Amino acid sequence: MPLTNPDKKLFPDERITKSELVDYYRAVARVMLPFLHDRPLVMERYPDGYGGRPFFHKDLPDYFPGWIHHRQVPKQGGTVDMAVGLPPS
């Protein structure tokens, strides 16, 4: 999947771009992925930019591709379908 807006400043004070953050995640993936295996994943989203009010997006959006692993996770009053981490390859 192509990276959209690679030059977008995600952390303007530190001048970190989206592509730099992706590069960092690629660099640490082998160390980080074992700790994420089969754990529910949450996205902290900033719809109005980094300085705006964030929210935690827990449910698996309809637009996520079918290869994303997910499972039902208990929550108060029911369950939520969440993405889960894969084992390292």
Side-chain angles (χ1 to χ4, degrees), residues 44-61:
E44 185 174 11
R45 297 185 56 190
Y46 293 80
D48 298 319
Y50 184 66
R53 186 177 189 148
F55 72 95
F56 289 101
H57 190 151
K58 296 180 182 180
D59 62 309
L60 189 74

Side-chain angles (χ1 to χ4, degrees), residues 9 39 62 74:
K9 301 281 188 214
R39 290 180 181 243
D62 292 338

Side-chain angles (χ1 to χ4, degrees), residues 1-78:
M1 175 178 269
L3 182 64
T4 60
N5 264 341
D7 296 325
K8 180 179 181 179
K9 301 281 188 214
L10 295 182
F11 303 97
D13 293 343
E14 290 82 15
R15 298 183 182 149
I16 297 173
T17 65
K18 185 190 265 190
S19 66
E20 290 170 329
L21 184 61
V22 168
D23 291 343
Y24 171 76
Y25 284 145
R26 284 183 177 143
V28 301
R30 288 199 189 278
V31 174
M32 184 173 64
L33 287 177
F35 295 98
L36 300 179
H37 173 63
D38 205 36
R39 290 180 181 243
L41 304 175
V42 175
M43 293 181 286
E44 185 174 11
R45 297 185 56 190
Y46 293 80
D48 298 319
Y50 184 66
R53 186 177 189 148
F55 72 95
F56 289 101
H57 190 151
K58 296 180 182 180
D59 62 309
L60 189 74
D62 292 338
Y63 58 82
F64 267 32
W67 53 264
I68 299 288
H69 288 240
H70 57 98
R71 66 177 156 97
Q72 294 294 315
V73 176
K75 71 170 194 167
Q76 187 174 2

